[in-house]
Amino acid sequence: MNAKIKVARLSILSNTCLIVLKLIVGFFTGSVSIISEAIHSTMDLIASFIAYFSVKLSDKPADEDHPYGHGKVENISGVIEALLIFIASMWIIFEAIKKILHPQEVESIGLGFVVMFVAAAINFIVSKKLYKVAKEVDSIALEADALHLKADVYTSLGVGIGLSLIWITKLNFLDPIVAIIVAIFILKEAIDLLKEAFNPLLDIKLSDEEINIIKEEISLHDSLYCNFHNLRTRRAGNSKYIDLHLVVPESMSVKMAHKICDNIENSIEKRIQNSDVLIHLECCDEICSNCSNMCTEICKIESIS
């Protein structure tokens, strides 16, 4: 079992335990903010299941129907998770407004306070593990799942602080107010996640930093080619696709040109994780200054090889 699947299972287990705990304490205390946290965790659990199945499917190799692999499954799962977070936040706001209109005293505040801080601690540990693996394997699905849990850490702490304020001030209306603040925070999380997951579905380019790395690696071989153009990049899940046109002197042999392409592709793929580079060769249509300067160098390399 690979690291992605292991950590996705850990997220499912932790969310299941926290949902049960929050629901029991939420109904026992009558706290809408604790119940809202249980709803949030339920969305997290659904998201964890989505992440689990998406990382399993995205790891499948390319086949006849999917020659570029299954990487975009992770992006689709990220979009679904973002929509789930949006639904959860709307549900929390609806329940909180009902509580404001029909106030209800919060009981056993101490128990609710303890549960919220225990939940925050558990989610902090699991989210750190998820982020670590997500960065190692460059998985948008795991990163989205980690973002869910990271938000849960802040919202659980917020609810815990809200309960402590109710205990000090005896103002029970603070409970639904805290729940609404939690929901607004979750809404922002949903928007950020939707942007990150949806953009690769439109074949958006790689980051400026990654493109600069690509150009750096190509320029390391600039004594052996005339120029390059039509550099294009896109992302699908954790896979990054790069293609470009490389112009070489007319006198260069196919063997030599192919070797230069191999060297450029290998150097880029070493610097950029999970990248797939494709280079289209073109012949220089005129005797440019670069061609003249390269003749001696090319002859020397070809004689060695």
Side-chain angles (χ1 to χ4, degrees), residues 46-173:
I46 295 171
S48 295
F49 272 110
I50 292 171
Y52 173 72
F53 287 111
S54 71
V55 295
K56 285 189 73 174
L57 184 56
S58 67
D59 275 351
K60 288 177 63 178
D63 54 35
E64 186 176 348
D65 293 328
H66 306 89
Y68 287 98
H70 301 77
K72 285 192 178 181
V73 170
E74 290 201 23
N75 299 101
I76 295 170
S77 76
V79 171
I80 294 171
E81 289 179 44
L83 295 175
L84 287 174
I85 299 172
F86 184 84
I87 293 169
S89 61
M90 291 293 100
W91 191 355
I92 291 168
I93 290 172
F94 175 74
E95 291 297 325
I97 291 172
K98 279 172 59 178
K99 284 285 185 179
I100 291 174
L101 296 175
H102 306 285
Q104 182 179 334
E105 186 176 350
V106 179
E107 301 175 357
S108 302
I109 291 176
L111 177 61
F113 179 85
V114 170
V115 167
M116 286 299 98
F117 279 90
V118 168
I122 292 172
N123 280 328
F124 177 75
I125 294 168
V126 178
S127 67
K128 277 196 72 174
K129 180 69 175 175
L130 276 167
Y131 266 123
K132 182 176 181 292
V133 177
K135 293 301 180 185
E136 287 174 355
V137 300
D138 201 14
S139 168
I140 185 66
L142 290 183
E143 189 175 341
D145 202 12
L147 186 59
H148 277 273
L149 296 185
K150 184 180 177 183
D152 219 340
V153 171
Y154 293 129
T155 54
S156 294
L157 288 174
V159 170
I161 292 168
L163 291 173
S164 64
L165 289 175
I166 294 170
W167 179 70
I168 294 169
T169 64
K170 308 301 180 187
L171 298 174
N172 286 286
F173 72 86

Side-chain angles (χ1 to χ4, degrees), residues 1 3-18 45 48 52 122-123 125-130 133 142 145 149:
M1 190 190 306
K4 288 202 290 186
I5 295 175
K6 282 183 180 179
V7 78
R9 284 187 173 180
L10 174 63
S11 177
I12 291 172
L13 179 62
S14 67
N15 275 315
T16 302
C17 294
L18 289 177
L45 178 61
S48 295
Y52 173 72
I122 292 172
N123 280 328
I125 294 168
V126 178
S127 67
K128 277 196 72 174
K129 180 69 175 175
L130 276 167
V133 177
L142 290 183
D145 202 12
L149 296 185

Side-chain angles (χ1 to χ4, degrees), residues 221-227 246-254 256-257 260 281-298 302:
H221 306 268
D222 60 5
S223 63
L224 300 174
Y225 64 82
C226 299
N227 58 69
L246 191 73
V247 182
V248 297
E250 186 176 22
S251 59
M252 183 179 287
S253 68
V254 173
M256 182 62 189
I260 293 170
L281 279 171
E282 291 182 5
C283 177
C284 188
D285 56 5
E286 58 185 42
I287 305 300
C288 62
S289 58
N290 285 352
C291 287
S292 302
N293 294 334
M294 277 187 273
C295 284
T296 306
E297 187 69 23
I298 292 168
E302 288 194 319

